[in-house]
Amino acid sequence: MAKLEAVILDWAGTTVDFGSFAPTTIFVEAFAQAFGFALSLEEARGPMGLGKWDHIRALGDTPAIAARWASQFGAPMSDADVDGIYRAFMPLQIAKVADHADLIPGTLETVAWLRERGIKIGSCSGYPREVMDVLIEAAAQRGFKPDHVVAAGEVAAGSRPGPWMALQNVIALGIGDVAGCVKVDDSAPGIHEGRRAGMWTVGLSLSGNESGLTLPQFLAADANHRARVRRRASVNLAAAGAHCIVDTIAELPEALLQIQARIARGERP
C-alpha cells in the first residue's frame, strides 16, 4: 500500500506571491514594451501555470487577443513574435521577481508540519531557471527551502500540463510510488500535471491565479466575499480534477490528512 511520501509544490500563488502577480504584471509590461500591444491583467492570467513561452503563445491564440493583434499588425501572432515578447519578458521578470517573493501566510508552518512527518518537499514552476535562481534565493532568505526545484524548460519532454516536471521531482527525491505524492497548485495546468503524473492533487482557491486577490484584499474580505471568490476560483481547479480544494497552503495539512485517510482505505489517485 502506498504511503504519503512527498508533496510537490508550485511557487507563485502557492508558496510565494499571494495572488500570483509577478508573472501577470510582467506579461502586460512585456507585450507593451515589445510591441506596444495592450493586454489586460485579467487576460494575462488566462493560461497561468504553463511555461512562460507557452503562456505567451496561448495568449496569442486566445480569440479576443488574436483578433486585436491581427487588427493592429495585419497578421496573426507568429512564433517569432512570441520570441520577441519572451525576450522582453525575461529581463523584466528576473529584475522584479524578488519583489514578489514574500511567502504566503502558512507556508513555513506547513513546511514544518511536513518535516515533522518525514514528508519530502519537491517543487516546480512555470518560471525558467534564470528566474527561479533569483526566486529560490529570495525565498530562502525568508525561510523556505524545498528539497528539490524543477524549472520550466529543464525537462526535455516539456512542461505543464504534462507530467514531466512533477515526475522529475519523483526521481530526484527517490519516491517509491507516485501514488504517495501530492501535487499542490493554484492553477488548472498544475492540477493536470499532477493527475497525469498519477499523483493526488490539491488545488488552492484563494491564494493564486484563479482568485487574483492581493493579500490585503484576502485579509479584508468577509466570509461572504471569500465564499463568492472561492466558488468562482474553484471551477477550473475542480474541472482539472483536483482531489481536494482548500483556500491556501495554510490549510494543506488538513487536505493531506484527508488524503492519508483515503490511502489507508486502499484508494489510489
Side-chain angles (χ1 to χ4, degrees):
M1 182 182 296
K3 64 177 182 178
L4 192 56
E5 295 187 65
V7 297
I8 314 299
L9 300 169
D10 179 49
W11 282 76
T14 296
T15 55
V16 300
D17 186 11
F18 201 104
S20 196
F21 281 91
T24 49
T25 55
I26 299 303
F27 280 126
V28 171
E29 191 171 345
F31 269 77
Q33 184 181 104
F35 286 96
F37 184 83
L39 185 74
S40 73
L41 194 63
E42 183 177 359
E43 287 174 326
R45 289 190 179 280
M48 191 60 67
L50 300 178
K52 301 315 175 192
W53 192 98
D54 293 333
H55 187 126
I56 297 167
R57 177 69 275 171
L59 288 172
D61 293 336
T62 302
I65 297 171
R68 295 205 314 273
W69 185 277
S71 175
Q72 183 169 336
F73 299 109
M77 183 186 293
S78 67
D79 283 355
D81 295 331
V82 175
D83 290 340
I85 297 168
Y86 187 78
R87 284 193 297 270
F89 170 87
M90 280 295 291
L92 291 170
Q93 192 68 92
I94 291 169
K96 297 185 178 183
V97 70
D99 296 339
H100 297 269
D102 285 344
L103 301 183
I104 291 172
T107 297
L108 294 182
E109 294 81 357
T110 294
V111 166
W113 187 92
L114 295 169
R115 298 289 189 208
E116 289 170 2
R117 288 156 180 81
I119 298 170
K120 297 178 180 179
I121 303 172
S123 67
C124 51
S125 173
Y127 284 136
R129 175 54 65 173
E130 299 95 319
V131 176
M132 283 308 304
D133 284 342
V134 177
L135 183 55
I136 289 167
E137 176 60 27
Q141 292 173 4
R142 292 161 171 82
F144 175 53
K145 299 179 182 180
D147 298 320
H148 191 65
V149 181
V150 179
E154 291 187 326
V155 182
S159 56
R160 298 170 184 157
W164 306 288
M165 290 199 297
L167 292 175
Q168 187 63 40
N169 274 278
V170 170
I171 295 168
L173 296 173
I175 304 304
D177 189 342
V178 291
C181 295
V182 182
K183 179 68 195 344
V184 184
D185 210 292
D186 62 289
S187 72
I191 298 300
H192 282 300
E193 173 189 24
R195 291 300 301 253
R196 293 177 183 185
M199 299 177 179
W200 298 94
T201 55
V202 176
L204 306 180
S205 61
L206 294 188
S207 65
N209 181 68
E210 297 293 344
S211 71
L213 295 174
T214 65
L215 180 56
Q217 288 171 336
F218 170 77
L219 295 174
D222 61 23
N224 288 333
H225 185 194
R226 288 193 185 188
R228 289 194 300 271
V229 176
R230 184 184 297 113
R231 285 194 297 270
R232 184 192 72 214
S234 296
V235 171
N236 288 339
L237 297 170
H243 293 95
C244 298
I245 299 175
V246 296
D247 288 352
T248 76
I249 195 171
E251 290 77 46
L252 180 59
E254 175 186 340
L256 295 180
L257 290 174
Q258 294 176 23
I259 290 171
Q260 282 183 322
R262 295 178 66 175
I263 291 173
R265 293 195 296 268
E267 296 184 41
R268 294 182 67 86

